[in-house]
Amino acid sequence: MGFLQLFCVASFPVIKVLLVTALGLFLALDHINILGEDARKNVNHIAFYVFNPSLVGSSLAKTITFESVVLLWFMPVNILGTFILGSALGWILIRITRPPKHLEGLILGCCSAGNLGNLPIIIIPAMCKEKGSPFGEPEICHQYGMAYASLSMAIGAIFLWSYVYNIMRISSSRVQKEGNTKNDPSTLKASGEISESHPDNFSETFNPAKDALDDAYTILLPNKQSEEVKVPISDKIKHRFRTISSNFNLKSIFAPSTIGAITGFFIGVIPQIRNFIIGSNAPLRVVEDSVSMLGDAAIPTVTLILGANLLKGLKGTSAPLWTIVGIIAVRYIFLPLLGVVVVKGAIYLGLVQSDPLYQFILLLQYALPPAMNIGTMAQLFGSGESECSVIMLWTYALASIAVTLWSTFFMWIVS
C-alpha cells in the first residue's frame, strides 16, 4: 500500500476528533456561552463520575474474555512502559526548563499519560472501515480492534487515575501548603529559628515537617532541602518506601474509572457472570444496555469539554514557551521513537503475537497527545488549569499532523 493511501486512512479519524473539538470551542465562546466555565465544571464532574466509568466498564465487559487477556498480556506492560518513559522524559524536561512549581505535576502528567482511551476507540474502527486498510476484513478488524482499544482504555484509565491523578493531587496540595507557609509570618519566623539553631541537624533536614515528609511526589521531584544532606542510598530508598506507604491513598487510586475497569474485567473474564449480563439472551441485558448508553456519551462529552477548555489558550493565557515545546517534543518525537524500539524488541523476542493490528496499537500508544482527563484533573484541583488549556491547544492542534504521520509510519512497518 502506498504512503499516500496510508496517510489518508490515518488522517480521517484524527480529523473527526478535531471537528468535535472545534464544536466544543465554538460552544464555549462568550457570545454563545453554552459551555461556559461553570457548565464545563459541572459536565466534567458528570463525565468523571458517570460517563467514563460506564464507557470503560461496558467496553471491557463486552469485548474482553479470559482467553483474550492471556493473549494480550504484553499490553499492560507496554502501557506501563509509556508511563515510565514519559515520566522520565518529563522529569528531564522539568530539570532543563525549570518551570513554576505549580506546573510540575501538570508537566509530568502530560508527558506520561497519553490519550489511550478516546483516540484508539475512535481511530481503530475508522481505520477498519477505510478501503485499503492493512488490517484485513472490516468486520474482523472492528471486532478485534475494539477489544484491543477497550483493553488499552481500561488499563490506561487505571494508570491515569492512580498514578497521574495522585501526582497532580500531591503537586497542587504541595504548592498550596508552600503558599500558606510563605504567607504566614509566624511560620516563617519559626522555620527560620529552627534553621538557625539546627543548621547541621540530620533529623531536621532529612525529616522535615510531616506534611512535607508524607509526599510521594518527592520520588520524582525531591526537595532541595533533602538534597543538601548526604545520606546513604539505602537510607534514601527506605525513606521513599516509607513515604509511599504513609501516603497511599486508596480512595484516590480507586477513582470511578478504575472501579469501572475492574468491574468490566470481572464481568468479562468470568463466564457465569458474563452470560448473566452480556448478550441478547442474558437475563440482565437491560443493565448492560443502560450502562452502554451512558458510556456512549463519554467520548463526545470529553472531546467537547476539551475544545471548550482550549478557549483559554486562544485568549492568550500565558504558559512557558519552552515547557510547551518540550512536552510536544516528548510526546511526538522522543516517546514514539522509544516506542518503536520497545515494541520491535518485544516482537524480536517473541513476546508479542504476530497480529499487525495488535502491533499497531502497541506502537500507537507511544504517539498520542496527552490524556484529555488531565484537563479534568486540573479543574478538579484548581492547579495549572489555564496553562493546561494552552498545552492541550498546541498538542491537539499538532496531533492532526503528528498522529497522522506516526500512524502512517506504524502501518507501514507492521504491514
Side-chain angles (χ1 to χ4, degrees):
M1 184 182 297
F3 178 83
L4 183 60
Q5 188 175 3
L6 287 172
F7 184 82
C8 293
V9 172
S11 63
F12 291 149
V14 179
I15 293 174
K16 290 181 181 179
V17 176
L18 293 178
L19 289 176
V20 180
T21 303
L23 177 60
L25 176 62
F26 173 76
L27 296 176
L29 295 175
D30 293 336
H31 61 280
I32 303 295
N33 201 30
I34 295 178
L35 282 178
E37 185 173 354
D38 293 336
R40 290 199 300 273
K41 289 182 179 180
N42 293 331
V43 175
N44 254 329
H45 280 81
I46 295 175
F48 175 73
Y49 287 105
V50 180
F51 294 157
N52 286 339
S54 299
L55 176 62
V56 174
S58 62
S59 297
L60 274 179
K62 288 186 293 186
T63 57
I64 296 298
T65 63
F66 180 79
E67 292 77 11
S68 64
V69 170
V70 173
L71 291 174
L72 305 178
W73 68 270
F74 184 76
M75 185 176 289
V77 178
N78 191 66
I79 293 176
L80 178 61
T82 67
F83 277 79
I84 293 175
L85 293 174
S87 297
L89 294 172
W91 182 83
I92 295 173
L93 176 61
I94 291 173
R95 290 293 186 179
I96 294 175
T97 60
R98 301 289 182 180
K101 284 289 183 182
H102 71 281
L103 295 182
E104 291 177 349
L106 177 63
I107 293 171
L108 283 172
C110 290
C111 290
S112 61
N115 194 330
L116 298 171
N118 304 57
L119 283 183
I121 286 287
I122 297 173
I123 290 175
I124 300 305
M127 286 185 176
C128 291
K129 294 178 182 178
E130 292 294 327
K131 293 182 179 180
S133 172
F135 304 130
E137 293 294 328
E139 293 183 2
I140 298 177
C141 173
H142 184 272
Q143 178 183 354
Y144 284 95
M146 285 301 296
Y148 300 154
S150 298
L151 183 60
S152 173
M153 177 175 57
I155 298 170
I158 293 173
F159 286 124
L160 178 67
W161 292 104
S162 59
Y163 176 73
V164 177
Y165 178 87
N166 280 283
I167 281 183
M168 295 186 66
R169 175 184 62 83
I170 296 169
S171 174
S172 62
S173 62
R174 180 179 179 180
V175 171
Q176 291 173 1
K177 289 175 184 177
E178 291 180 355
N180 293 335
T181 302
K182 290 179 181 179
N183 293 330
D184 189 347
S186 61
T187 304
L188 287 174
K189 183 178 179 181
S191 63
E193 291 173 353
I194 292 174
S195 177
E196 292 171 4
S197 59
H198 303 281
D200 298 319
N201 191 300
F202 173 85
S203 63
E204 291 293 332
T205 307
F206 187 70
N207 297 302
K210 187 178 185 300
D211 287 340
L213 176 63
D214 295 340
D215 188 353
Y217 188 57
T218 57
I219 296 171
L220 290 174
L221 295 170
N223 291 327
K224 292 180 180 179
Q225 191 178 17
S226 300
E227 296 174 349
E228 293 174 357
V229 174
K230 295 181 178 180
V231 295
I233 296 178
S234 60
D235 290 344
K236 288 184 178 181
I237 295 175
K238 293 179 182 178
H239 171 66
R240 299 308 183 198
F241 276 110
R242 286 197 301 268
T243 299
I244 296 174
S245 60
S246 64
N247 201 41
F248 203 70
N249 192 330
L250 290 176
K251 183 179 179 181
S252 299
I253 290 176
F254 286 98
S257 293
T258 308
I259 296 174
I262 295 173
T263 304
F265 268 121
F266 273 106
I267 294 174
V269 301
I270 301 177
Q272 293 80 3
I273 301 178
R274 181 185 180 89
N275 295 333
F276 199 67
I277 299 176
I278 307 300
S280 57
N281 297 323
L284 293 181
R285 62 185 179 276
V286 65
V287 176
E288 189 270 330
D289 291 339
S290 300
V291 175
S292 296
M293 182 174 62
L294 290 172
D296 291 339
I299 293 176
T301 301
V302 174
T303 309
L304 286 172
I305 295 172
L306 171 69
N309 288 335
L310 297 183
L311 182 63
K312 291 184 179 180
L314 291 177
K315 286 184 176 180
T317 305
S318 60
L321 175 61
W322 289 112
T323 296
I324 298 174
V325 173
I327 292 174
I328 292 173
V330 167
R331 292 238 55 104
Y332 294 145
I333 299 177
F334 299 111
L335 201 54
L337 291 175
L338 291 174
V340 173
V341 175
V342 171
V343 176
K344 279 296 190 181
I347 295 172
Y348 178 78
L349 295 174
L351 302 177
V352 176
Q353 56 179 303
S354 59
D355 184 2
L357 179 59
Y358 180 53
Q359 296 176 4
F360 172 79
I361 290 182
L362 294 179
L363 291 165
L364 183 64
Q365 289 168 347
Y366 287 90
L368 296 169
M372 294 181 179
N373 281 321
I374 291 177
T376 302
M377 295 176 190
Q379 284 191 334
L380 289 174
F381 300 126
S383 178
E385 183 179 347
S386 300
E387 292 84 354
C388 181
S389 65
V390 180
I391 293 171
M392 291 295 179
L393 172 66
W394 286 106
T395 53
Y396 275 84
L398 293 175
S400 58
I401 300 174
V403 176
T404 301
L405 290 176
W406 280 113
S407 298
T408 306
F409 177 69
F410 294 155
M411 283 191 292
W412 177 72
I413 63 177
V414 301
S415 60

